[in-house]
Amino acid sequence: MKTFDHDLEMRAVKSAVSSPKRMSLLRKAGGSSLFHFTASQEIFDRATYLMKTKGASPTWRDIITDPAISEPVRERAAKVKSAPIKKIKTMKQVADRLGEYTRIRFAAEAAKSIAEAISEDSVSADDLSDILSKAAQKSRKVSDEETFRHIGDGKKLKRTGKDVLRELMKRGGHNFVPTGLRAFDERSRGFIKTAFISLAGTTGGGKTTLADTIRVNQALNGARSCYWSLEMNHEEMENRLLARITDIPMERFQFPEKLKKSEKRKIVAAYDEYATRIIENGGFTSEAVPRGGVSMRDVLDQSEPFSYDTIFIDYMTLLEDADAEEQWKALGQAGRQAKVFAQANNRAVVLLAQLSEEEKIRYAKAIKEHAGLMWTWTYGDREKETHMVKIVQQKSRNQPMYDFFLRENFAQSRFEDPTEDQLREYKRSQTNVVGQRSSLSDYRKLKSGSGAYKGPTGRRYAA
């Protein structure tokens, strides 16, 4: 009986090579185990490696000229004339068919092993059962050992307290991705990789600025991060980045012809330093701007082959999921998909959302239900004047829950940790009499040095 189809394998590989979404589909269906032929496996593994390390999908031309692939395999690949599969539905059918062949091969291997065992003078029924059990586990996408962890089944203890401690110590900080914001990282260590995270701010509150600040911080410190911008194009994203790494006000990049020579030199030096630091620290980052509409599933599938530690999506209602008739239900489902993906792939998925004036997430309450971590903040006159933003952690599963302050610097398109002096100045500006909030004029006087005001104890604070 035929247990493979070489042409089908090569067509599937060719279709997946230049498409992260199709590559992700094959990886989830079984990855290299789907292929019987060494050539198919070698090309698939090489394309996967290139996507993870280079941050771009190779072309079929890249494959057939890649010296890292053996010459016989390259020659075989060059002879493949079939066009790549374009329709996802068709690609799924091909993956399913390859999966059927794979299960048949596992069954054939088991049958051969059983035939060899019963041809001996003696045979153990337990050995035969073990062969069948292993074949069944191979044919399933997730084995029993991956799904369950048993204690007390009557067998010898397989996982001791020492094993648990060793795994904990090995896991350590690897399960976290620091944000680069000291106010959060010092107490919480960073984003948990398996978490679905929601960042929700009011209009004009800097949702994109905060999320992209964290994305860049993570890459600079050796993590793999990706920013899906559904609202801005690559040029807008890059202008923000340049403002952040050069300290040149972002408005200057609107008129590049007016940039001074010193500013141009600063841009060149700062960008090269930024990119070099990412590479030297083993980091990797991407900005993804889709050409058309994308759903949550599209974003996750296309991101999966690159093995990002953190995936940012800006923002919730720009997903195609939001076009559903029952928007709240569709977005709730999108949040669940992100949560399941994060847990299954050991990634952090961060979704930006809009916060209403009533400080509630618009459109989908289910987002909070699925989120493992949720930050919210408001941005009004006081924040504009003081540049201080209070981050409220409305939800923090498996991490301490507390509020903290960040300082916005929209001119340079970033959020920063406030200094102790800045934080102290801000806090004492909040009241001028016991139990009453100060007016913004009090803060302006303190800031400018033109006056003083009374604190809650009656003490006068001068600038």
Side-chain angles (χ1 to χ4, degrees):
M1 181 179 180
K2 187 176 181 180
T3 62
F4 54 83
D5 186 324
H6 191 239
D7 291 338
L8 188 66
E9 288 187 15
M10 293 302 289
R11 189 185 182 201
V13 168
K14 185 175 182 179
S15 302
V17 160
S18 59
S19 168
K21 188 170 185 178
R22 288 159 182 74
M23 176 65 81
S24 178
L25 194 154
L26 285 186
R27 282 161 60 89
K28 291 181 179 180
S32 295
S33 66
L34 292 174
F35 307 113
H36 171 72
F37 291 95
T38 303
S40 307
Q41 294 176 349
E42 188 174 341
I43 294 173
F44 181 85
D45 290 340
R46 179 60 178 168
T48 299
Y49 173 79
L50 290 173
M51 284 187 180
K52 287 183 178 180
T53 57
K54 305 299 183 183
S57 302
T59 64
W60 193 244
R61 179 67 182 173
D62 292 332
I63 293 297
I64 63 179
T65 59
D66 191 341
I69 296 176
S70 60
E71 188 173 349
V73 172
R74 281 184 280 138
E75 291 176 353
R76 177 67 184 87
K79 295 178 181 179
V80 178
K81 302 302 180 183
S82 57
I85 299 168
K86 294 183 178 181
K87 293 183 178 180
I88 290 296
K89 182 178 180 180
T90 305
M91 192 68 185
K92 288 180 178 178
Q93 292 172 345
V94 169
D96 290 342
R97 181 55 51 85
L98 291 175
E100 291 173 6
Y101 279 129
T102 302
R103 290 194 293 275
I104 291 173
R105 287 197 298 274
F106 289 151
E109 291 172 6
K112 182 179 179 180
S113 298
I114 290 174
E116 291 175 351
I118 62 178
S119 66
E120 301 294 332
D121 293 335
S122 62
V123 62
S124 167
D126 289 337
D127 290 342
L128 297 179
S129 296
D130 188 51
I131 292 172
L132 290 171
S133 177
K134 288 180 178 178
Q137 286 190 14
K138 283 184 177 181
S139 67
R140 290 195 295 265
K141 293 179 181 178
V142 182
S143 71
D144 176 79
E145 290 299 320
E146 293 171 327
T147 304
F148 298 99
R149 180 169 286 170
H150 301 295
I151 297 177
D153 59 357
K155 298 179 181 179
K156 183 180 178 180
L157 187 62
K158 295 181 179 180
R159 189 164 176 266
T160 67
K162 288 184 177 179
D163 294 329
V164 172
L165 178 60
R166 183 170 57 253
E167 291 170 11
L168 173 62
M169 299 307 293
K170 183 179 179 181
R171 188 164 65 241
H174 298 296
N175 199 39
F176 295 85
V177 192
T179 64
L181 300 170
R182 188 177 61 256
F184 178 70
D185 291 344
E186 285 185 348
R187 293 185 64 181
S188 297
R189 200 161 192 168
F191 289 160
I192 296 178
K193 280 188 180 179
T194 55
F196 167 50
I197 299 159
S198 174
L199 305 184
T202 50
T203 300
K207 295 183 291 296
T208 298
T209 301
L210 177 56
D212 201 39
T213 296
I214 295 172
R215 190 263 301 190
V216 169
N217 287 348
Q218 291 177 338
L220 287 170
N221 287 288
R224 301 175 67 89
S225 60
C226 178
Y227 199 96
W228 280 83
S229 177
L230 310 185
E231 189 173 31
M232 295 186 297
N233 58 33
H234 284 297
E235 289 71 27
E236 292 173 293
M237 293 290 292
E238 189 156 81
N239 285 352
R240 287 171 176 257
L241 172 66
L242 292 177
R244 191 175 304 133
I245 64 178
T246 63
D247 285 337
I248 297 173
M250 191 163 58
E251 62 186 27
R252 296 284 296 154
F253 300 113
Q254 304 300 318
F255 301 94
E257 68 277 6
K258 295 182 180 180
L259 288 170
K260 301 175 183 177
K261 288 184 178 180
S262 60
E263 291 175 321
K264 293 178 181 179
R265 289 195 296 269
K266 196 172 187 179
I267 290 171
V268 172
Y271 188 86
D272 288 346
E273 181 183 354
Y274 161 76
T276 300
R277 181 178 162 189
I278 289 176
I279 293 170
E280 290 179 345
N281 289 341
F284 177 78
T285 190
S286 309
E287 295 170 3
V289 178
R291 295 178 181 178
V294 290
S295 66
M296 176 64 79
R297 177 52 55 198
D298 292 331
V299 168
L300 299 177
D301 284 348
Q302 293 185 48
S303 301
E304 191 273 339
F306 298 104
S307 298
Y308 296 114
D309 295 306
T310 314
I311 301 169
F312 296 86
I313 305 169
D314 183 10
Y315 66 98
M316 184 172 72
T317 54
L318 296 179
L319 290 166
E320 279 194 338
D321 307 73
D323 290 335
E325 185 174 342
E326 293 185 283
Q327 188 183 65
W328 65 273
K329 184 182 293 185
L331 289 173
Q333 181 62 29
R336 175 168 176 75
Q337 288 175 355
K339 177 181 179 180
V340 171
F341 177 90
Q343 293 175 335
N345 294 279
N346 197 36
R347 318 274 172 83
V349 178
V350 183
L351 182 64
L352 277 60
Q354 182 80 9
L355 199 68
S356 69
E357 294 179 358
E358 293 76 29
E359 300 187 23
K360 295 180 180 179
I361 290 185
R362 288 176 178 171
Y363 315 115
K365 293 182 180 179
I367 293 296
K368 182 177 181 179
E369 179 181 336
H370 295 308
L373 178 68
M374 183 177 185
W375 292 359
T376 63
W377 68 95
T378 57
Y379 192 82
D381 291 339
R382 181 170 293 274
E383 286 75 22
K384 290 178 183 178
E385 182 71 32
T386 64
H387 302 288
M388 297 291 286
V389 176
K390 183 179 181 180
I391 304 296
V392 178
Q393 296 196 79
Q394 289 199 14
K395 188 174 183 181
S396 183
R397 183 182 293 137
N398 300 322
Q399 291 176 289
M401 183 181 291
Y402 55 92
D403 301 338
F404 59 93
F405 286 93
L406 294 176
R407 184 175 173 82
E408 58 87 351
N409 182 349
F410 288 157
Q412 273 76 51
S413 189
R414 65 174 178 253
F415 273 80
E416 309 161 327
D417 282 295
T419 64
E420 291 184 6
D421 287 342
Q422 289 170 338
L423 192 57
R424 189 181 302 113
E425 180 183 272
Y426 172 77
K427 287 183 176 179
R428 74 189 188 199
S429 74
Q430 297 306 288
T431 55
N432 56 7
V433 293
V434 177
Q436 295 182 9
R437 291 177 62 85
S438 69
S439 65
L440 286 176
S441 62
D442 291 328
Y443 183 81
R444 295 188 183 107
K445 289 178 181 179
L446 178 72
K447 191 84 171 174
S448 65
S450 61
Y453 61 90
K454 292 182 180 180
T457 61
R459 178 182 175 184
R460 295 176 63 82
Y461 291 102

